[in-house]
Amino acid sequence: MKRIVHVAFALWASLTYAEIQFTRVTDEAGIQFRHFSGATGAKHLPETMGGGAAFFDYDNDDMPDLYFVNGAVLTESTTNVQPTNQLYRNSGDGTFTDVTQQAGVGNTEYGIGCCVADYDNDGNRDLFITNFGHNVLYRNNGDGSFNSVTHDAGITDEPCFSTGCAFADYNNDGWLDLVVVNYVLTDLETAPDCSQNGIPAYCRPEDFAPAPDVLYQNNGDGSFTDVTHDVGLTALGRGLGAIWTDVNNDGWVDLYIANDREPNFLYRNNGDGTFTELGERHGIARNEHGDAESSMGIDTADYDNDGDFDVVLTHYQAETNTLYQNDGNGVFWDVTAQSRLSEPTLLPLAWGTGFVDFDNDGWLDLFFANGHLHDNIEALEEIGAYKQQNQLFHNQQDGTYADVSDTSGSGMRIEKSSRGAIFGDYDNDGDLDILVMNTADTPDLLRNDTPPVHHWLSIKLVGKTSNRDGLGARVTLQMGDTYLLREVKSGVSYLSQNTYQLLIGLGKAEQVNRLIVRWQSGTQDKMENIQCNQWLTIQEGNGIISIKR
C-alpha cells in the first residue's frame, strides 16, 4: 500500500516540472561580511573549520535575519581590524542592514558555529556561539539588543574547541536543553608539525585526543546544569555535528552526533532522563562497508515520504556523502548507492547540507556545500581542489537523486571553499533560498528563482505547554491519499541554524485536506481544508491563530 501511495504522489507532483534556478545576490542584498580564518601559514587546525551561520527572526517581524560566525587572530596579528561575528537585519525589501553594534552580538572569540532558540520561553529567540576558546550565550532582550549571560546561565567558562550545538527539550518539561559538541583537545603552542614531505599541511583529527561533549539541562529559571555524565552522554568522539530527532517514534527526542574519522553516536532517549548510545545497533554509526567516515554536516528529514525521518551526512574527499534510510523502526540502512549519490559525491569534500524542497514539488532535494580544507591540496595530492563547486541533487520521487548542479543557474556554478549552508525564505516569496558560508571569503546568498509552478504552505509554530519555538513538533499534511511529514529542529547542516518557519511544497495540490501538529507535550492540533500559498501561525492548543496571504 505504501508503494502505491508513493507512485500516486510522484505522478501527481510531477505533472508540471520547474527547473531549479539560483542567482547570487549577496552584493545587491547589502551583505558586506567576509569570513576571516586567521591563517598565517602556521597550519593551525581551527583555521580549516569555520564558519557557521543562522537564519533567525531575532526581532519578531516574520522576516528571517542573518547571523555570521567569524574567525579571529590565532597567533600573531594579521589585520588592523579586529574580526567580529555580524548580525544583519532583514529590511523586508530583499536587502539586509548590519546591526551588529546595536544588537551587541559582535563576539570576537574565534567563532566556529551557532544555534538559535528561545531557551527562556519569553517569545524572543536567543543565540549560542561555539568557539575555539570560550563559548557564548546571548539572551535576546526583545528590544533589538542582546546580553551575554554565559556565566550567569551556568555555561562553562573553560576554553574548548566546540563545534556543533543544538537545542531540544529532551525531557519533555517544556524547556529547551542544549547539547554542545566538542572536537579535539589541542593547544596551538604544542600542536605537532604535520608537514607532508616538507610541504606544510594541516594535521589529521587523529593527531589529537577527542574532547568530551556536554549536555546542559534547562532549569527553567534562565540557567542550565551540566548533566552530561548523569544522563549517560559519556562516549568520546571528535564531534562536529549534532541534531535531535525522534528516530523510533516513541515521543522522546534522540540525539545523533556526527564524528570525524570514527563511528557516529546515536544516543537513544530512554524516556527516564537518561540515554543509551546505540549507533552501531541502529546501523547509523558506519557506512554500508563498515567504515567509520569523516562526518561533518548532518540533516534529518523524510526524503522518501514514507512517514519517518532519514539522515544524510557529508564527508571528506574520497568518501561519499552518506544517505541513511529509516526502516520505520529506527533502524537505518545505507542507501547511498541505490539513491545514485555515490559517484557524484566521491571526490568533493562536503560540509554543509540540507534536505530542502527547492521547487515545492513535495519531495525533498539535497544540497551539499563543498570545499577542501587544505589550501595547498594540489601540492599535497594528485586529486582535489581547494575551491569547489557546490552540488544540488533533485529528488526523482523514486528513491533516487539526479545531480542538477550545472543546470540550476549561475548561483550553483560558483567555486569557493564552502563550509556552513543554511536555508530559509528570506524574501518571503514562497520558496527556499540558500546562504553559503565560505572560509576566508565572502558568503553567497543564493536567491531561489525557480518558476513558481507548484504550491506551498508556510507554517510558524508557537508552543504553550511545549517549548515556545515548537522544537520537536511534527507536522503532518494530508492531500487525498498523500501524506507529508515535517519537523521543527535545531542544529542542522554544518555548524549552522535554519529558520524555524516551515515552508512546505505541495506540488499541484491547491489545498491541504488535513493538517495535524503533534507537539512534544502530547497535544495535537487538527485543522482541515487549508488553502495553499499562505502563511499560517499555529499555537499549541488553539490551532491557527493567524493567516497571511
Side-chain angles (χ1 to χ4, degrees):
M1 180 62 184
K2 185 181 288 187
R3 178 59 184 166
I4 295 174
V5 172
H6 284 179
V7 173
F9 185 41
L11 292 173
W12 160 74
S14 61
L15 291 175
T16 304
Y17 174 71
E19 189 172 80
I20 299 172
Q21 296 290 300
F22 282 98
T23 305
R24 185 183 190 272
V25 294
T26 313
D27 300 329
E28 299 94 308
I31 297 171
Q32 299 178 349
F33 175 82
R34 185 181 185 90
H35 181 260
F36 179 82
S37 70
T40 63
K43 300 296 180 182
H44 293 303
L45 190 60
E47 300 166 2
T48 68
M49 306 303 292
F55 266 132
F56 82 111
D57 182 11
Y58 83 95
D59 54 358
N60 289 325
D61 64 354
D62 292 328
M63 299 294 297
D65 310 296
L66 274 170
Y67 190 74
F68 298 99
V69 178
N70 211 349
V73 173
L74 281 171
T75 50
E76 58 190 63
S77 179
T78 58
T79 176
N80 293 324
V81 179
Q82 187 176 38
T84 68
N85 298 348
Q86 292 183 15
L87 175 65
Y88 278 79
R89 183 181 182 275
N90 193 325
S91 301
D93 58 1
T95 67
F96 292 82
T97 302
D98 186 346
V99 294
T100 310
Q101 186 173 357
Q102 302 95 298
V105 289
N107 187 240
T108 57
E109 292 268 354
Y110 196 100
I112 303 293
C114 64
C115 54
V116 174
D118 181 5
Y119 77 90
D120 52 0
N121 286 335
D122 67 350
N124 303 298
R125 291 193 173 99
D126 312 294
L127 179 63
F128 187 80
I129 315 297
T130 60
N131 290 317
F132 177 68
H134 300 86
N135 297 330
V136 178
L137 175 63
Y138 285 111
R139 181 181 179 274
N140 190 330
N141 297 319
D143 59 1
S145 69
F146 293 74
N147 285 337
S148 174
V149 294
T150 315
H151 179 73
D152 292 340
I155 304 297
T156 180
D157 58 0
E158 293 294 323
C160 45
F161 193 164
S162 297
T163 49
C165 61
F167 286 94
D169 181 8
Y170 83 87
N171 54 1
N172 287 359
D173 66 352
W175 297 94
L176 289 172
D177 312 297
L178 171 66
V179 66
V180 179
V181 175
N182 293 312
Y183 191 43
V184 297
L185 300 174
T186 181
D187 186 318
L188 298 183
E189 295 182 358
T190 60
D193 180 359
C194 295
S195 298
Q196 301 178 22
N197 298 319
I199 302 173
Y202 291 104
C203 293
R204 304 172 304 165
E206 298 96 320
D207 294 321
F208 305 94
D213 304 320
V214 182
L215 177 63
Y216 293 101
Q217 180 180 296
N218 194 324
N219 298 321
D221 60 1
S223 70
F224 294 84
T225 299
D226 182 345
V227 295
T228 310
H229 291 279
D230 295 338
V231 303
L233 262 67
T234 55
L236 276 177
R238 300 171 180 87
L240 287 175
I243 199 165
W244 298 87
T245 190
D246 182 1
V247 300
N248 56 350
N249 296 315
D250 65 353
W252 299 88
V253 290
D254 310 292
L255 174 62
Y256 189 67
I257 294 178
N259 290 319
D260 194 0
R261 297 303 307 151
E262 52 197 319
N264 302 312
F265 299 148
L266 176 61
Y267 286 103
R268 196 174 69 187
N269 194 327
N270 298 321
D272 60 0
T274 67
F275 293 83
T276 304
E277 201 288 297
L278 296 172
E280 300 278 8
R281 184 182 299 182
H282 282 260
I284 204 166
R286 307 168 186 267
N287 66 14
E288 64 176 344
H289 306 293
D291 298 326
E293 300 178 288
S294 306
S295 298
M296 317 274 196
I298 186 172
D299 197 14
T300 63
D302 184 13
Y303 84 93
D304 50 2
N305 288 338
D306 67 349
D308 51 47
F309 292 115
D310 314 290
V311 176
V312 67
L313 290 169
T314 58
H315 294 118
Y316 198 79
Q317 175 180 295
E319 298 175 346
T320 69
N321 297 335
T322 305
L323 178 62
Y324 292 99
Q325 184 181 52
N326 191 331
D327 71 354
N329 297 306
V331 176
F332 294 86
W333 298 88
D334 180 348
V335 295
T336 311
Q338 298 94 308
S339 63
R340 300 180 184 172
L341 290 171
S342 294
E343 183 177 350
T345 66
L346 181 61
L347 290 184
L349 198 168
W351 306 81
T353 188
F355 286 111
V356 188
D357 185 1
F358 291 117
D359 57 355
N360 288 334
D361 66 352
W363 294 84
L364 295 169
D365 310 304
L366 270 173
F367 178 86
F368 298 120
N370 300 326
H372 217 286
L373 62 87
H374 291 290
D375 53 5
N376 58 344
I377 184 60
E378 293 86 350
L380 295 170
E381 298 184 20
E382 293 183 358
I383 60 173
Y386 180 59
K387 295 182 178 182
Q388 301 178 8
Q389 181 182 1
N390 299 324
Q391 292 175 297
L392 195 158
F393 290 85
H394 187 250
N395 193 322
Q396 300 299 285
Q397 308 172 9
D398 59 1
T400 68
Y401 281 91
D403 188 348
V404 296
S405 310
D406 290 335
T407 61
S408 295
S410 58
M412 283 302 304
R413 292 192 289 272
I414 298 168
E415 293 186 359
K416 295 181 179 179
S417 188
S418 302
R419 296 295 185 268
I422 53 175
F423 313 93
D425 185 10
Y426 84 91
D427 48 4
N428 277 359
D429 65 349
D431 53 37
L432 287 165
D433 311 293
I434 307 173
L435 188 285
V436 181
M437 285 287 286
N438 303 297
T439 189
D441 211 330
T442 55
D444 295 315
L445 178 61
L446 306 180
R447 186 183 64 209
N448 191 336
D449 290 332
T450 304
V453 300
H454 294 132
H455 299 304
W456 51 271
L457 194 65
S458 181
I459 300 174
K460 175 183 177 180
L461 298 182
V462 180
K464 292 181 67 180
T465 303
S466 303
N467 65 87
R468 180 68 178 251
D469 283 325
L471 286 179
R474 295 187 169 200
V475 179
T476 303
L477 299 90
Q478 177 187 358
M479 290 82 70
D481 292 330
T482 299
Y483 293 83
L484 300 179
L485 177 67
R486 299 293 185 264
E487 180 183 35
V488 183
K489 55 186 181 291
S490 169
V492 294
S493 189
Y494 173 73
L495 311 177
S496 297
Q497 176 71 63
N498 294 336
T499 176
Y500 287 151
Q501 192 100 356
L502 295 175
L503 197 150
I504 305 171
L506 305 177
K508 301 303 293 181
E510 295 185 356
Q511 73 170 14
V512 175
N513 301 124
R514 198 176 198 204
L515 189 156
I516 301 174
V517 180
R518 294 177 173 84
W519 304 84
Q520 274 199 269
S521 65
T523 298
Q524 291 191 24
D525 286 303
K526 301 177 181 180
M527 295 138 278
E528 295 183 348
N529 301 325
I530 301 168
Q531 297 303 307
C532 65
N533 301 346
Q534 57 185 1
W535 290 265
L536 307 180
T537 300
I538 299 175
Q539 187 178 63
E540 183 178 11
N542 294 321
I544 298 172
I545 61 171
S546 173
I547 299 177
K548 295 181 182 179
R549 292 181 174 87

